[in-house]
């Protein structure tokens, strides 16, 4: 979720900076209020999946690869990620 979160955050920060017309304090406050819950959810997801995706042992790597090669497990993980990624509503900026 790191790259996706960064893209969403960059979009919102740029939009809020433009909307605030140079008042960075206003822009930063709007940015934080809009993204805090979303970012916290993404970070929590990373804490649960980081060790799984980057195991420290060769046995862990084999276990991860075996699970990810099973469509049922892979689809379940993708569905869990979709729930997190839909917790922010992106505004349309001019």
């Amino acid at each position: 979720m790191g790259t996706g979160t960064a893209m969403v955050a960059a979009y919102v920060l740029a939009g809020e900076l433009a909307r605030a017309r140079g008042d960075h304090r206003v822009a930063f406050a709007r940015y934080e209020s809009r993204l805090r819950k979303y970012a916290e959810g993404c970070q929590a997801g990373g804490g649960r999946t980081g060790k799984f995706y980057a195991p420290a042992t060769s046995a862990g790597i084999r276990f991860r690869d075996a699970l990810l090669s099973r469509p049922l497990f892979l689809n379940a993980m993708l569905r869990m990620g979709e729930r997190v990624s839909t917790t922010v509503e992106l505004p349309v900026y001019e």
Side-chain angles (χ1 to χ4, degrees), residues 37-51:
K37 185 177 176 183
Y38 170 74
E40 287 174 347
C42 292
Q43 289 171 342
R48 291 187 303 265
T49 59
K51 290 181 182 179

Side-chain angles (χ1 to χ4, degrees), residues 12-30:
V12 172
L13 182 57
E16 293 301 337
L17 285 166
R19 184 180 278 173
R21 300 191 195 292
D23 189 341
H24 68 277
R25 288 184 206 106
V26 169
F28 292 168
R30 288 181 188 160

Side-chain angles (χ1 to χ4, degrees), residues 5 9 20-21 27 35 41 45 49 51 53 57 65 69 71 78 82 89 93:
T5 303
R21 300 191 195 292
L35 287 185
T49 59
K51 290 181 182 179
Y53 280 118
T57 66
D65 292 350
S69 69
L78 291 172
E82 287 172 355
E89 186 172 323
Y93 295 107

Side-chain angles (χ1 to χ4, degrees), residues 38-91:
Y38 170 74
E40 287 174 347
C42 292
Q43 289 171 342
R48 291 187 303 265
T49 59
K51 290 181 182 179
F52 174 76
Y53 280 118
T57 66
S58 58
I61 292 170
R62 287 191 301 276
F63 177 72
R64 176 204 61 202
D65 292 350
L67 284 178
L68 290 177
S69 69
R70 300 184 192 288
L72 184 65
F73 182 80
L74 181 58
N75 289 334
M77 288 187 69
L78 291 172
R79 281 191 303 277
M80 287 171 34
E82 287 172 355
R83 284 192 299 245
V84 172
S85 65
T86 60
T87 60
V88 65
E89 186 172 323
L90 295 177

